[in-house]
């Protein structure tokens, strides 16, 4: 199997979307699932959520933000380059049905996969309100696509330099409008905040947990997430969980377990920049 990069779209600075040839994954994938990308034979495995697919062309797309060694290395690849491996589709698909009124909230790079859910929720007959949030305006990805798919769109930045300031305005929305379901994909702090806001209104709130993963198949136990006091695995029990029951503080703590090692690895790679040495990729 050849996992060739067919198209690259720059969504924002250091944020790209790749369309990759993977017919066997495209044939089975559903919204909410993810792939594990291995860039080169020596590379680590990183999970990325599928944000689009084309069953006829046999391609899947994922978007990533360049935060560490592997995502920075991925950001250097070009159309025509080939990934060493793509495993998937992994995780459980989202529960898509006609709930009535659905609130979809996406943060930063996770706006891209959120829009796949927005599309699916619309196709299932829901009225969809979408909120896009990011630290700064540049991070509010794919605004036009969000507008074309949703009944209503709100934009927010952390400092209010574009759109609403933070998520306080959501409280006001919920005082006036009733929602039957909320879907949140974004940084853990954002998913926690939205879940706290929706809880008093008893809106079922689904979050996508992004713990560190290795195999993505339930074998290594690295991706533990505590939900209602029970230990679950992000990869096989999730990645979506009830946001009112997830222990977000533990999730953040576990995501940061290897921060010093990740920083060293990223710095060493930057010093040695020149890309992958496996021969599959252009210099
Ligand atoms: C199910 C799942 C789906 C994901 N989907 C996407 C996606 O669609 N797009 C995307 O850009 N990222 C996604 N992530 C996060 C992505 O896997 C990490 O950003 C990536 O592994 C970082 O690798 P790295 O070597 O570049 O950085 P590292 O050196 O591993 O880490 C650099 C920084 O990123 C943080 N980080 C590492 N792993 C994660 C993680 N799992 N979640 C959040 N922060 C992390 C670290 O704490 C550190 O601050 C997903 C994670 C999971 C578990
Ligand atoms: S990533 Fe290994 S058990 Fe989930």
């Amino acid at each position: 199997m050849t996992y060739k990069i067919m198209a690259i779209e720059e969504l924002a600075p250091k944020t790209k979307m790749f369309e990759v040839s993977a017919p066997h994954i495209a044939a089975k994938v559903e919204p909410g699932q993810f792939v594990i990308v291995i860039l080169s034979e020596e590379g680590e495995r990183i999970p990325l959520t599928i944000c689009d697919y084309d069953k006829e062309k046999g391609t899947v797309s994922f978007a990533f933000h360049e935060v560490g060694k592997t995502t920075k290395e991925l950001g250097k690849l070009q159309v025509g380059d080939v990934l060493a491996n793509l495993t998937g589709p992994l995780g459980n698909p989202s529960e898509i049905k006609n709930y009535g009124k659905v609130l979809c909230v996406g943060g930063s790079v996770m706006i891209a996969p959120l829009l796949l859910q927005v599309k699916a929720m619309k196709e299932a007959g829901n009225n969809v309100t979408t909120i896009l949030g990011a630290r700064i305006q540049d991070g509010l990805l794919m605004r036009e696509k969000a507008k074309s798919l949703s009944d209503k769109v709100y934009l927010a930045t952390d400092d209010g330099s574009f759109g609403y300031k933070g998520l306080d305005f959501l409280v006001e929305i919920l005082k006036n409008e009733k929602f039957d379901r909320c879907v949140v994909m974004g940084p853990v702090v954002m998913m926690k905040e939205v879940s706290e806001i929706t809880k008093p209104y008893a809106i079922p709130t689904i979050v996508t947990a992004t713990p560190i993963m290795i195999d993505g198949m339930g074998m290594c136990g690295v991706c533990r997430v505590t939900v209602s006091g029970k230990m679950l695995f992000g990869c096989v029990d999730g990645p979506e969980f009830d946001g009112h029951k997830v222990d977000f503080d533990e999730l953040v703590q576990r995501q940061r377990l290897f921060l010093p090692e990740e920083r060293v690895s990223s710095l060493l790679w930057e010093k040695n920049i020149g890309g992958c040495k496996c021969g599959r990729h252009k210099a």
Side-chain angles (χ1 to χ4, degrees), residues 59-129:
T59 59
V60 295
S61 301
F62 50 79
F64 59 93
H65 191 49
E66 296 175 26
V67 289
K69 176 186 178 279
T70 303
T71 46
K72 286 178 188 171
E73 211 172 348
L74 211 51
K76 295 276 170 218
L77 299 186
Q78 298 163 27
V79 171
D81 282 342
V82 172
L83 302 170
N85 197 279
L86 208 59
T87 306
L90 298 169
N92 298 295
S94 312
E95 254 184 67
I96 306 286
K97 55 184 178 186
N98 192 342
Y99 295 98
K101 261 188 103 174
V102 178
L103 177 66
C104 292
V105 187
S108 305
V109 69
M110 295 303 275
I111 289 172
L114 179 90
L115 294 188
L116 187 58
Q117 303 235 9
V118 171
K119 185 167 173 252
M121 286 292 190
K122 255 328 267 181
E123 284 169 0
N126 294 285
N127 175 290
V128 181
T129 293

Side-chain angles (χ1 to χ4, degrees), residues 213-216 218-223 233 235:
M213 290 187 179
I214 298 180
D215 61 298
M219 290 182 284
C220 69
V222 164
C223 64
F233 287 174
C235 63

Side-chain angles (χ1 to χ4, degrees), residues 39 73 76-77 269 272-278 281-283:
L39 197 152
E73 211 172 348
K76 295 276 170 218
L77 299 186
W269 179 77
N272 248 319
I273 209 156
C276 168
K277 308 281 186 292
C278 74
H281 311 119
K282 295 170 190 140

